[in-house]
Amino acid sequence: MSNTAVLELTDLWKTIKGKEIVKGVNLTLYPSQIFGFLGPNGAGKTTTIRMIVGLIKPTKGSVTICGHSVAHDFVKALSNVGCIIESPDMYKYLTGMENLLQFAAMDKTISQQRIKDVVEMVGLQHRVNDKVSTYSLGMRQRLGIAQAIMSKPKLLILDEPTNGLDPAGMTEFRNLIRKLAYEEGMTVFVSSHLLLEIQQMCDVVSIIKQGSVIKTINVQDILHDDRIEWQVDDPENAIALLKKHWNIEAVQLKKNTISANLSQNPLDKINELFIREGIALTYCSTKQNTLEDLFLDLTEGDEIV
């Protein structure tokens, strides 16, 4: 992966009517990266996206796209961006091809061959000459992406792109996004409330809460560790032993249950220690970590929208 950043947010702040909506956000996205942006309702996701694409100005900080400042070099910065906010707007009485031609007319660098290529890329070659009014939601999303990528953007921003899609449509959409990132070299920025979909689609996720990014992590790092739960008669002592002997940070979930991420630590030796130290062990179970677990832990169960 190239070290040249496609998108950089540096100490980004936004204050509206005296209220700090976005607080010191720092993010860096690289080529061919699929990035997920998550947060509870009112966390600042939409405000951040609006600043990225220049719809509103930051109170403080900067947005840089492919080395160009959105504030000082808006045209060059945004020339590298394709964007879809929820369901793409299309002329439903026109065909898919006619919609694409309308858009291409505004950018003389888009060739007929490029239009043909993106139609095939998104899998609409057999329906592109049908009216958009006959398209399913998934097909309209594909047409929207075709429109967004015709100018070969380095950065594709998608806000709630899978709203309303059925499971088959979400799978097709996920495969398309991976193709754009890994074969076409685009960086994809996805904001969504569907945690499992983000987990399956993205390489990196950031979680924002009350305007601040509280965690940025590789998805594979979340899935790598197993979460272990023990039911014991002395949870305080068990937690202390895990910290003392293996430097493992455990938490008490309920009266007699504790939980910890083990990574490479030997579960059998931990259980032997508990028994040797006189701790009654009722059961021990393994559960793979998920993005949902991390999100709920970090946001303390705030609603995600």
Side-chain angles (χ1 to χ4, degrees), residues 179-211:
K179 181 177 181 179
L180 293 175
Y182 304 146
E183 297 180 20
E184 298 296 314
M186 291 183 194
T187 300
V188 185
F189 181 112
V190 184
S191 174
S192 176
H193 68 283
L194 300 176
L195 293 169
L196 179 59
E197 189 64 23
I198 288 291
Q199 177 178 305
Q200 294 176 320
M201 183 190 307
C202 295
D203 305 309
V204 179
V205 295
S206 278
I207 297 173
I208 185 172
K209 179 182 180 182
Q210 297 177 357

Side-chain angles (χ1 to χ4, degrees), residues 121-141:
M121 198 180 301
V122 302
L124 278 180
Q125 59 268 36
H126 301 301
R127 294 292 305 276
V128 74
N129 291 313
D130 295 342
K131 288 188 177 180
V132 172
S133 59
T134 69
Y135 284 11
S136 66
L137 177 57
M139 291 172 63
R140 290 199 297 273
Q141 290 285 47

Side-chain angles (χ1 to χ4, degrees), residues 208-226:
I208 185 172
K209 179 182 180 182
Q210 297 177 357
S212 300
V213 171
I214 55 176
K215 188 78 170 180
T216 298
I217 188 170
N218 290 326
V219 171
Q220 287 305 311
D221 289 343
I222 300 172
L223 305 179
H224 177 72
D225 292 344
D226 286 332

Side-chain angles (χ1 to χ4, degrees), residues 146-167:
Q147 177 178 294
I149 66 175
M150 279 200 298
S151 61
K152 299 182 180 180
K154 299 289 194 303
L155 175 65
L156 179 62
I157 298 175
L158 305 172
D159 187 16
E160 301 293 352
T162 55
N163 272 358
L165 294 183
D166 60 20

Side-chain angles (χ1 to χ4, degrees), residues 7-15 20-28 47-48 51-52 57-64 71 208 211-213:
L7 174 66
E8 287 185 282
L9 309 185
T10 305
D11 195 26
L12 200 62
W13 292 73
K14 182 62 181 178
T15 302
E20 292 176 338
I21 307 299
V22 175
K23 308 171 187 176
V25 168
N26 292 281
L27 292 174
T28 304
T47 301
T48 301
M51 287 190 283
I52 291 172
K57 294 181 179 180
T59 303
K60 183 178 139 183
S62 64
V63 178
T64 303
I208 185 172
S212 300
V213 171

